[in-house]
Amino acid sequence: MLRAVAHLLLSVPLGGLGIGLIVFWALVSVRNLILFPFVYSWAMDLTTSWGGPTAAGAVALHMAGGLAAFLVIPHLVRGVTTLHAALSRRLLGPAE
């Protein structure tokens, strides 16, 4: 019983972290890789934007950040899920 409660208390934050990473991944990828080059870069004053003051510099910098997030965050999610699986096996025992 105590191990099940410990599993519950540790699984909730791990699950929240995993969901948070996935939502962040989706939002950053869509905003920086898809929307920024076509919508934000032409509709905004880019003199104070990262990569500004030119539109090309701002687009390149934001797309680089979006690409980095697109490639790195799935590995972080995989690490969280591996940790969650190890925690479950340790506290609840192997699946039968």
Side-chain angles (χ1 to χ4, degrees):
M1 174 72 173
L2 186 60
R3 295 175 97 176
V5 171
H7 178 263
L8 172 69
L9 293 175
L10 293 172
S11 290
V12 170
L14 281 176
L17 178 62
I19 290 172
L21 283 171
I22 291 168
V23 169
F24 180 74
W25 174 78
L27 292 176
V28 167
S29 297
V30 168
R31 181 187 183 272
N32 288 357
L33 290 176
I34 299 170
L35 294 180
F36 196 86
F38 302 110
V39 177
Y40 291 115
S41 63
W42 314 121
M44 297 172 31
D45 177 30
L46 299 174
T47 56
T48 59
S49 176
W50 289 3
T54 65
V59 168
L61 186 68
H62 283 83
M63 286 187 76
L67 182 62
F70 184 78
L71 296 174
V72 170
I73 290 176
H75 295 287
L76 296 176
V77 171
R78 184 174 181 178
V80 169
T81 57
T82 302
L83 179 63
H84 196 181
L87 175 76
S88 296
R89 275 193 303 274
R90 177 90 169 139
L91 293 175
L92 302 177
E96 294 180 16

